[in-house]
């Protein structure tokens, strides 16, 4: 099975509402999507094409390569369709594999049962041909097989990523309520920031937005920080392809920038964590960190963007304090950030109203399951107060 050189359907998954930003990245790499949907993108390519996708994409979760599509009304038909696949040419009998799935079939009450059926078919097939079977389990750092089964339509994929691409491997210490790296990168892409003007991130927490901004500005991609992907554990893998793609990442990465990225937080711990994470990402020297109330954040005369991700209080009783904070954020933007574009990412629309400025855009996101918005404010002399305030 020549998966490394044979075209098939590729599905790149992402968190809900990130696909417009993922699409921009995929097209910038020279690929043409066949279809874009809320949680991903479909295109056509080989497993070798999946290698640059895995190394470059900031907004993706997994890159899946279709092995077979077939009709399966029940678990027996699923097993029969799977046992025919030449698994012995994909998974080394001395290797290790795991199964993930997205299942909606009337016979399946728990996805674990579907996973076991897939595992059985793979193991039975390889044992019948090779006399021995590979190990299997829950770890996703070796070969990973993904089942997509809706009603009687089954699709079996090689998950070429394994561990999610949505984490970018530099954040060793998460801090309080950190944004997922893929989400942070997507929100910055959504601002249309030019990557050459000031980027200010007050209330930076573990530094995710400032670090992602520095990575975007220097053209550094997540593949620089990761040396293991599931495609490396598929039989026929040629490591030269990986090293060539990794070399390209190193060659295009810039070392310096000619503008300021500023990250501040009221908590010394948060700044310590941010600096450590920035150091792991190799961008610590590009970010000016400071411990201060957000109101005291330096705002350089050369405008750019200011991006906030304040807490939005899912617990009761904290709202009064947060209402004041959101109002102060509005005042800070209005009084100190003229000429900038301001952004506030929040999951609480009532608190957002306290900012008291009229948003020029409200961009939809999810943070996990929580419906969120990125509010955009054009900050000029006559910036309008929101009449509701
Ligand atoms: C939701 S967290 C930010 C998470 C961040 N986006 C990340 O990815 O890690 C909000 C941060 O605001 C900080 N903060 C709260 N009140 C502040 C204030 N008045 N001035 C500056 N920072 C503040 C907290 O210490 C916390 O780190």
């Amino acid at each position: 099975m020549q998966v490394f050189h044979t075209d098939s359907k590729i599905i790149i998954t992402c968190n809900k509402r990130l696909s417009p930003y993922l699409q921009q990245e995929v097209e910038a790499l020279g690929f043409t999507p066949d279809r874009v949907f809320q949680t991903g993108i479909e295109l056509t390519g080989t497993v070798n094409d999946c290698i640059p996708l895995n190394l470059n994409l900031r907004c993706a979760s997994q890159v899946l390569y279709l092995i077979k599509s077939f009709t399966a009304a029940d678990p027996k038909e699923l097993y029969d369709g799977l046992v025919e696949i030449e698994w012995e040419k994909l998974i080394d009998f001395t290797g290790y594999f795991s199964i993930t799935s997205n299942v909606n079939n009337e016979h399946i009450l728990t996805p674990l049962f579907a996973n076991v059926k897939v595992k059985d078919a793979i193991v039975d097939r390889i044992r019948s041909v090779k006399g021995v079977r590979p190990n299997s389990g829950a770890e996703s750092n070796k070969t990973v097989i993904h089942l997509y089964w809706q009603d009687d339509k089954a699709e079996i994929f090689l998950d070429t990523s394994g561990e999610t691409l949505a984490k970018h491997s530099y954040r060793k210490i998460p801090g309080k309520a950190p944004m997922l790296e893929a989400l942070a990168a997507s929100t910055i892409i959504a601002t249309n920031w030019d990557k050459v003007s000031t980027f200010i991130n007050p209330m930076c927490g573990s530094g995710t937005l400032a670090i992602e901004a520095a990575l975007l500005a220097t053209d550094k991609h997540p593949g620089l920080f990761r040396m293991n992907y599931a495609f490396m554990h598929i039989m026929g893998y040629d490591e030269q392809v990986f090293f060539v793609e990794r070399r390209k990442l190193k060659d295009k990465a810039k070392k310096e920038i000619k503008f300021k990225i500023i990250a501040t937080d009221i908590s010394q711990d948060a700044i310590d964590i941010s600096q450590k994470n920035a150091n792991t990402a190799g961008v610590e020297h590009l970010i000016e960190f400071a411990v201060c109330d957000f109101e005291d954040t330096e705002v350089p005369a050369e405008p750019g963007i200011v991006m906030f991700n304040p807490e939005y209080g899912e617990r009761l009783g904290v709202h009064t304090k947060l209402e004041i904070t959101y109002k102060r954020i509005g005042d800070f933007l209005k009084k100190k950030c003229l000429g900038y574009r301001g952004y506030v990412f929040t999951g609480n629309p009532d608190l957002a109203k306290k900012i008291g400025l009229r948003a020029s855009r409200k961009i939809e996101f999810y943070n996990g399951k929580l419906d969120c918005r990125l509010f955009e404010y054009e900050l000029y002399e006559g910036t309008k107060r929101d009449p509701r305030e």
Side-chain angles (χ1 to χ4, degrees):
M1 209 181 283
Q2 276 293 336
V3 292
F4 283 92
H5 302 282
T6 307
D7 272 349
S8 184
K9 174 160 103 178
I10 293 173
I11 298 283
I12 309 174
T13 65
C14 62
N15 279 25
K16 224 170 169 181
R17 292 184 177 155
L18 301 193
S19 55
Y21 316 104
L22 177 60
Q23 180 180 1
Q24 287 184 33
E25 292 193 284
V26 166
E27 288 176 349
L29 288 172
F31 294 93
T32 308
D34 297 327
R35 185 169 69 96
V36 179
F37 48 101
Q38 218 187 23
T39 54
I41 284 183
E42 179 182 328
L43 51 96
T44 305
T46 65
V47 173
N48 273 342
D49 291 325
C50 296
I51 296 179
L53 290 167
N54 272 290
L55 268 63
N56 280 276
L57 296 176
R58 303 173 201 274
C59 307
S61 297
Q62 320 288 143
V63 181
L64 309 172
Y65 172 93
L66 182 72
I67 310 176
K68 183 176 175 179
S69 175
F70 58 103
T71 303
D74 57 36
K76 178 171 182 316
E77 287 185 16
L78 181 76
Y79 178 93
D80 292 346
L82 292 173
V83 82
E84 286 172 0
I85 296 171
E86 294 177 313
W87 293 107
E88 67 281 5
K89 296 188 179 164
L90 292 168
I91 306 174
D92 192 330
F93 62 86
T94 63
Y96 176 97
F97 70 97
S98 61
I99 314 288
T100 59
S101 59
N102 178 346
V103 175
N104 180 14
N105 175 282
E106 58 175 328
H107 299 280
I108 302 291
L109 298 177
T110 148
L112 285 180
F113 179 62
N115 294 3
V116 168
K117 278 281 153 201
V118 179
K119 184 209 73 179
D120 287 349
I122 295 174
V123 163
D124 290 351
R125 168 80 194 199
I126 297 180
R127 194 167 29 211
S128 75
V129 178
K130 297 281 181 189
V132 269
R133 55 155 289 182
N135 285 325
S136 61
E139 302 295 325
S140 52
N141 59 355
K142 297 275 169 44
T143 312
V144 182
I145 305 299
H146 180 75
L147 169 71
Y148 180 82
W149 189 18
Q150 301 296 309
D151 302 321
D152 67 348
K153 184 176 177 251
E155 294 188 316
I156 194 85
F157 293 90
L158 287 170
D159 175 348
T160 67
S161 311
E163 277 153 5
T164 182
L165 303 173
K167 293 185 179 170
H168 295 169
S169 314
Y170 60 77
R171 197 165 61 192
K172 305 297 178 201
I173 322 173
K176 227 169 45 174
M179 274 174 109
L180 182 68
E181 293 91 319
L183 173 62
S186 299
T187 58
I188 299 173
I189 296 171
T191 67
N192 299 322
W193 175 50
D194 59 11
K195 296 184 258 180
V196 290
S197 57
T198 313
F199 185 97
I200 309 178
N201 176 211
M203 303 180 132
C204 69
S206 54
T208 324
L209 284 165
I211 294 169
E212 288 298 328
L215 294 172
L216 278 160
T218 48
D219 218 357
K220 284 189 171 177
H221 292 259
L224 287 170
F225 314 116
R226 178 165 163 176
M227 288 302 283
N228 183 47
Y229 294 88
F231 61 74
M232 296 175 166
H233 306 279
I234 300 167
M235 285 171 77
Y237 162 62
D238 174 2
E239 65 177 14
Q240 277 315 311
V241 182
F242 170 71
F243 285 119
V244 167
E245 290 303 329
R246 202 155 188 279
R247 180 79 258 158
K248 285 188 205 163
L249 294 193
K250 286 189 170 173
D251 290 346
K252 70 181 172 184
K254 297 186 204 104
K255 292 206 165 48
E256 298 303 331
I257 53 174
K258 295 198 174 79
F259 60 92
K260 285 192 178 186
I261 300 180
I262 296 168
T264 67
D265 199 287
I266 202 158
S267 149
Q268 178 72 56
D269 273 0
I271 292 299
D272 290 345
I273 289 172
S274 295
Q275 282 179 307
K276 284 192 184 122
N277 290 334
N279 181 276
T280 310
V283 294
E284 192 190 0
H285 63 297
L286 305 177
I287 305 174
E288 289 180 16
F289 293 99
V291 179
C292 63
D293 186 278
F294 68 83
E295 281 182 349
D296 300 321
T297 302
E298 179 204 343
V299 180
E302 304 75 30
I305 75 168
V306 192
M307 219 167 159
F308 280 89
N309 166 219
E311 283 149 44
Y312 34 84
E314 281 151 58
R315 282 170 296 123
L316 288 175
V318 292
H319 277 189
T320 323
K321 198 168 157 234
L322 285 177
E323 281 177 9
I324 297 167
T325 303
Y326 275 66
K327 183 176 178 319
R328 285 174 59 221
I329 290 175
D331 292 343
F332 171 79
L333 290 173
K334 171 104 180 126
K335 292 186 185 137
K336 299 213 174 149
C337 305
L338 288 183
Y340 279 76
R341 277 202 317 277
Y343 293 89
V344 179
F345 181 88
T346 180
N348 189 324
D350 291 334
L351 285 173
K353 283 182 196 149
K354 301 290 170 198
I355 294 168
L357 301 174
R358 182 171 287 169
S360 46
R361 285 197 294 160
K362 295 174 188 168
I363 310 165
E364 294 183 338
F365 284 99
Y366 273 104
N367 190 1
K369 288 194 161 64
L370 195 66
D371 193 8
C372 289
R373 295 287 179 278
L374 179 66
F375 292 89
E376 178 186 77
Y377 305 99
E378 305 279 353
L379 303 166
Y380 48 89
E381 278 298 342
T383 296
K384 296 203 177 46
R385 287 272 167 203
D386 191 322
R388 288 171 300 188
E389 284 306 303

